[in-house]
Amino acid sequence: MTVEETVDPKESPATRRVNVWDSPWLNTKFLVGGSIIVVVILFGLLGPFFWNTELAYTASSPTNLPPMWMAKGSPEHPLGTESNGRDMLASLIVGIPASLRVGVLAATLGMGIGVLLGSLAGYLGGWWDHVIRTISDSVLIIPSLAVLIAIASYVQFPDTTMLALVLAMFAWPGPTRLVRSQVLTLRERGYIRMALLSNVPPLEIMFVEMVPNMLPWLAASFTGNISGAILGATGLEALGLGPTRVPSLGMIINYAMTSSALVRGMVWWWLPPILALIIIFTGFFLMTVGLDEIANPRLRGYGNGGK
Amino acid sequence: MEQPILSIQNATKIFGGGFLSSSKPIVALDRFSLDVYESQSKIITIAGESGSGKTTLANMILGFTPCTEGKITFNGIDLNQMNGEQRSFYRQEVQAIFQDPYEVYNPFFRVAHIFDMITRHFKLARSKKEAQELIEEALNLVGMRGGEILEKYPHQLSGGQRQRVMVARAYMLRPKLIVADEPVSAVDASLRAMILDIMLRLRDTRHISFLYITHDLSTAYQISDLMYVLFQGTTVERGNTAKIIEDPRHPYVQELIDSIPVPNPKIKWNMNIKLPSEEVMRMKNTVGCRFYPRCPKRMDACTKAFPPMVKVSEEHEVACYLYQ
């Protein structure tokens, strides 16, 4: 496998490879991880068409019902209800996309800032590089959860968007470093020299010539950042510092903790949000590893093309 | 006397050895001078082994590496002091073809992107149709047709095709000088002649000068008018190509020409080159002649000071004490 195959997913495979299925993008880890995330997203997207999401709000259902397969369970609340009168299935249908949304939003913002600052630092170098690198390295070593807890105890987040913005403050140094190092290697490439000789202005070189060639790296960093942001958001919510109105996975965990669900044996309350998080993290982790293998052919090992 | 369009005056490049650097400075190019005149388009060979400073010179002319000492001027303007407009003009007048015809294509874009960049940023055409015609004309010159290649991705072209597209691209800007850094080293032998032929044609019909950077003396002999032989950053012999190849004076150039393999199995190339030990090779003679450790005719004077350029005949100079 050559490097150029990984860089250009759009090319018509039939003209290049005897076997169309011999594509680095058909990486097993990436595909399995991607499928898991697609199923999770579909659960959140299609759920509202099959189930009444109003049941996710307080006092909409009878309290403390076990799931339907246990004694006293009712088919009207298949996954049971909790002490505040919320239906568990409805809570998951609303909570999973809410948590995903925070993660995607924070990671997108972090990525955007990272690509911008990383490109400037790597390409312009000198003074720009020094300032950007110093700030990003400083932010990187700050224990983000501690700072987030401090911020969250002063600011009551009205909605998840605000939470995502605060999380993005800690999501940009990683991508910045990654993009900077990539730009440093890319700027020595022949095609960047050709662009310089073609009088292409610096911004166009950065964002038209370089960024497309970083896509696999950016994608790997992006999926990794999404799970990082979800982890941060869930941590805050579980501590009761997140938005309290909209149900999210972290909020379910918080209520389960404060209502002693563990001691009362209400497994159907505390386990589902944790399982959902495990599934989401596994999906993004597999995607990140898979994308990493796509971006770095050397990680793929010999002979099997990473499959 | 005509003013040269491109003038390189004592250009020197020293790598490393900065204030906080622990490595010893390496002199990549030492006091190199060269003038290119507009009225006489010439193919000028810069020859030398690896590490002789050929590519450093190319990078300096193209503005990728600044000179440590000396200067390069274009129409009298120093390359490092150009404003945006002057630099843009310089880019149009001095173009390049590189050794690796794959690396120079952005794998993300189709071949047409190469031409789009220059038509947009040098404002070569007022309309799409005009641009198409310009591209088509440039491609025809190198024996290609736009319909066949423009919509393809670079990896779908052969090495020779890719290099010809690069020549077409450079030609489209109608430059005065093309810096060709080993343009045929990575191309099949059968296509070499074709690209060299295009260079000759551009020189004769379009009056484009070439700086042909190579380690291959046989192709240099065939196409070039003037020649500069570099050894470890210093110019050891310069002048008319035919004179240097047919009557080399510097011991290094003599050795170099003797070692060219001839396509005849009965004639073996010269095997008498004895390389000194690695330590002696690495020890840079910064004062005297750089070739001293390898020279079969070395003298004591060679270590004292760098030998001056001696004129041995019309259009033929050599930097060696043997001819003083």
Side-chain angles (χ1 to χ4, degrees):
Chain A
M1 298 244 171
T2 51
V3 182
E4 56 268 23
E5 280 177 286
T6 68
V7 181
D8 192 351
K10 293 188 308 185
E11 69 207 12
S12 54
T15 56
R16 315 204 41 222
R17 304 184 190 97
V18 183
N19 183 359
V20 184
W21 299 100
D22 184 22
S23 157
W25 289 90
L26 289 173
N27 180 297
T28 319
K29 289 171 191 139
F30 174 68
L31 291 181
V32 171
S35 316
I36 291 175
I37 297 304
V38 167
V39 168
V40 171
I41 291 172
L42 284 179
F43 177 77
L45 279 182
L46 301 179
F49 295 107
F50 298 100
W51 202 246
N52 181 7
T53 50
E54 287 301 311
L55 298 176
Y57 294 93
T58 315
S60 58
S61 320
T63 56
N64 297 334
L65 275 181
M68 57 187 280
W69 57 86
M70 286 167 76
K72 288 188 280 177
S74 131
E76 276 167 43
H77 302 285
L79 295 183
T81 60
E82 38 96 290
S83 303
N84 300 317
R86 298 166 192 255
D87 177 67
M88 282 309 297
L89 181 58
S91 296
L92 287 178
I93 290 172
V94 178
I96 288 176
S99 289
L100 276 177
R101 206 180 78 93
V102 175
V104 171
L105 205 60
T108 309
L109 273 171
M111 203 77 224
I113 300 170
V115 169
L116 187 72
L117 292 183
S119 303
L120 290 173
Y123 189 76
L124 299 177
W127 188 84
W128 284 90
D129 191 22
H130 280 295
V131 172
I132 292 172
R133 219 174 37 184
T134 310
I135 299 176
S136 70
D137 284 358
S138 314
V139 174
L140 207 61
I141 54 159
I142 295 174
S144 55
L145 194 63
V147 177
L148 286 173
I149 290 170
I151 296 174
S153 46
Y154 282 101
V155 189
Q156 191 60 55
F157 298 113
D159 55 13
T160 47
T161 312
M162 190 64 198
L163 179 63
L165 283 176
V166 174
L167 286 166
M169 280 176 20
F170 296 94
W172 64 271
T176 303
R177 287 181 66 105
L178 174 92
V179 171
R180 176 182 169 273
S181 64
Q182 281 299 312
V183 167
L184 282 179
T185 69
L186 284 179
R187 58 183 284 177
E188 300 301 320
R189 297 281 168 88
Y191 56 84
I192 298 301
R193 297 187 151 202
M194 254 317 145
L196 280 168
L197 286 179
S198 304
N199 222 10
V200 178
L203 280 181
E204 194 181 320
I205 289 185
M206 278 185 248
F207 297 109
V208 178
E209 300 286 324
M210 285 180 169
V211 169
N213 287 297
M214 292 190 262
L215 281 178
W217 282 270
L218 293 180
S221 161
F222 184 61
T223 51
N225 272 357
I226 294 176
S227 27
I230 294 177
L231 185 69
T234 310
L236 285 181
E237 288 157 356
L239 293 170
L241 297 168
T244 42
R245 222 174 45 79
V246 198
S248 62
L249 294 176
M251 202 195 73
I252 302 174
I253 296 172
N254 176 42
Y255 281 127
M257 287 195 310
T258 49
S259 312
S260 317
L262 206 59
V263 186
R264 290 156 69 193
M266 294 170 78
V267 181
W268 67 90
W269 191 354
W270 57 265
L271 192 59
I274 293 175
L275 277 182
L277 283 171
I278 290 174
I279 291 168
I280 291 171
F281 286 147
T282 311
F284 279 123
F285 175 73
L286 287 175
M287 274 180 89
T288 309
V289 175
L291 283 165
D292 225 16
E293 284 176 3
I294 292 167
N296 304 309
R298 261 174 296 171
L299 294 179
R300 265 184 246 151
Y302 295 99
N304 62 357
K307 293 180 188 76
Chain B
M1 186 67 195
E2 189 200 352
Q3 285 295 311
I5 41 165
L6 184 86
S7 173
I8 305 171
Q9 295 150 23
N10 291 322
T12 301
K13 182 70 199 176
I14 300 169
F15 287 112
F19 174 54
L20 290 171
S21 168
S22 57
S23 61
K24 277 195 183 148
I26 290 169
V27 183
L29 190 67
D30 193 2
R31 285 161 291 175
F32 183 84
S33 297
L34 168 76
D35 287 331
V36 179
Y37 295 93
E38 187 172 358
S39 61
Q40 357 167 311
S41 49
K42 289 218 158 80
I43 296 179
I44 305 164
T45 299
I46 310 290
E49 56 190 23
S50 28
S52 63
K54 306 180 300 247
T55 300
T56 305
L57 175 66
N59 285 342
M60 284 161 86
I61 296 173
L62 296 174
F64 295 139
T65 316
C67 305
T68 313
E69 279 162 42
K71 62 178 177 177
I72 301 176
T73 60
F74 181 73
N75 286 337
I77 307 162
D78 193 321
L79 214 59
N80 293 327
Q81 285 157 11
M82 285 183 170
N83 60 30
E85 201 181 317
Q86 288 164 335
R87 181 155 286 267
S88 165
F89 180 66
Y90 179 71
R91 290 254 183 262
Q92 190 160 1
E93 297 283 79
V94 178
Q95 270 299 323
I97 306 167
F98 293 119
Q99 175 175 8
D100 183 345
Y102 189 80
E103 254 253 320
V104 289
Y105 290 88
N106 193 332
F108 204 78
F109 298 104
R110 292 169 200 273
V111 173
H113 180 70
I114 284 283
F115 295 102
D116 288 346
M117 282 196 295
I118 52 173
T119 38
R120 261 189 305 131
H121 294 291
F122 288 111
K123 301 187 179 63
L124 295 182
R126 262 159 289 153
S127 66
K128 268 228 157 74
K129 196 164 163 283
E130 206 183 320
Q132 282 296 318
E133 281 163 10
L134 277 173
I135 295 169
E136 201 60 47
E137 191 219 325
L139 284 173
N140 288 343
L141 190 93
V142 298
M144 300 176 101
R145 267 180 292 149
E148 288 167 4
I149 55 132
L150 285 176
E151 289 309 310
K152 285 187 177 164
Y153 280 99
H155 61 251
Q156 294 171 316
L157 305 186
S158 71
Q161 285 177 315
R162 288 196 285 256
Q163 196 62 301
R164 274 147 68 199
V165 170
M166 288 329 288
V167 178
R169 173 202 167 276
Y171 163 69
M172 222 175 110
L173 291 163
R174 308 286 188 274
K176 297 277 170 10
L177 173 72
I178 294 177
V179 178
D181 188 356
E182 310 225 15
V184 293
S185 309
V187 175
D188 278 352
S190 51
L191 282 158
R192 232 168 249 182
M194 182 170 200
I195 287 171
L196 295 174
D197 190 56
I198 295 169
M199 285 169 64
L200 285 177
R201 228 170 341 129
L202 286 177
R203 178 194 66 183
D204 296 335
T205 63
R206 315 283 163 164
H207 307 292
I208 297 173
S209 290
F210 281 87
L211 214 58
Y212 178 54
I213 296 174
T214 186
H215 56 254
D216 178 12
L217 292 178
S218 27
T219 56
Y221 187 33
Q222 279 162 357
I223 66 161
S224 78
D225 308 297
L226 295 173
M227 182 155 165
Y228 287 68
V229 186
L230 297 182
F231 181 77
Q232 293 192 0
T234 58
T235 313
V236 290
E237 194 157 346
R238 67 181 181 204
N240 182 291
T241 306
K243 284 187 178 174
I244 294 178
I245 305 262
E246 283 156 18
D247 181 22
R249 295 305 183 91
H250 196 283
Y252 169 64
V253 185
Q254 288 170 349
E255 203 174 73
L256 204 62
I257 285 163
D258 277 351
S259 61
I260 298 174
V262 186
N264 179 350
K266 295 198 178 98
I267 304 169
K268 193 92 170 133
W269 54 84
N270 180 3
M271 290 282 283
N272 291 330
I273 298 176
K274 287 179 202 69
L275 294 181
S277 69
E278 193 71 4
E279 294 80 66
V280 182
M281 289 271 280
R282 283 187 183 280
M283 189 193 69
K284 285 242 158 158
N285 275 332
T286 38
V287 213
C289 177
R290 298 285 163 78
F291 192 57
Y292 181 80
R294 273 164 67 178
C295 188
K297 295 169 183 167
R298 59 187 174 194
M299 304 179 289
D300 285 344
C302 303
T303 55
K304 300 279 174 0
F306 190 78
M309 272 290 170
V310 184
K311 193 167 185 173
V312 285
S313 69
E314 196 55 40
E315 280 201 310
H316 192 175
E317 291 174 299
V318 58
C320 186
Y321 284 116
L322 286 173
Y323 304 97
Q324 219 173 15

